[in-house]
Amino acid sequence: NESGEKIIPEYKGNRSRMNKPIVSINITTLEEKIHLSAAQTSRDLGVDKSSISKCLRGLKPQANGYKFVYYERKENDAVSNN
């Protein structure tokens, strides 16, 4: 948003792995983006879901120029209901 806060969609903590929010990190620019799921990450970046899953499980270091980690919500993150 305008104040620079990250707006994170609300999610339940008991989602399956493929439905957990994911952070993509561009290995060249170090830009981070939060995605709602592995499927959404795949659509947003054009990276195969299986490659994203392998990165998340530590089987691959990166895919198509991105690293992937599960998003861990912090106490001070703003929450959006969108």
Side-chain angles (χ1 to χ4, degrees):
N1 71 17
E2 293 172 13
S3 68
E5 285 182 293
K6 290 182 184 176
I7 301 297
I8 311 304
E10 186 65 51
Y11 70 95
K12 304 262 185 240
N14 62 353
R15 288 181 159 195
S16 73
R17 276 193 219 166
M18 291 307 279
N19 287 328
K20 286 175 108 175
I22 294 170
V23 179
S24 62
I25 305 160
N26 182 306
I27 61 173
T28 303
T29 65
L30 301 180
E31 178 185 6
E32 296 182 3
K33 182 174 180 185
I34 299 170
H35 310 269
L36 294 178
S37 66
Q40 186 64 50
T41 306
S42 177
R43 288 190 294 273
D44 289 349
L45 302 176
V47 179
D48 185 70
K49 281 191 295 188
S50 66
S51 293
I52 294 168
S53 177
K54 287 176 184 175
C55 291
L56 291 167
R57 290 183 288 142
L59 301 176
K60 289 181 72 165
Q62 59 91 20
N64 292 36
Y66 292 91
K67 290 186 177 191
F68 301 96
V69 295
Y70 287 113
Y71 171 73
E72 295 295 328
R73 189 162 147 196
K74 296 174 184 78
E75 215 174 287
N76 60 351
D77 282 341
V79 175
S80 167
N81 289 323
N82 296 335

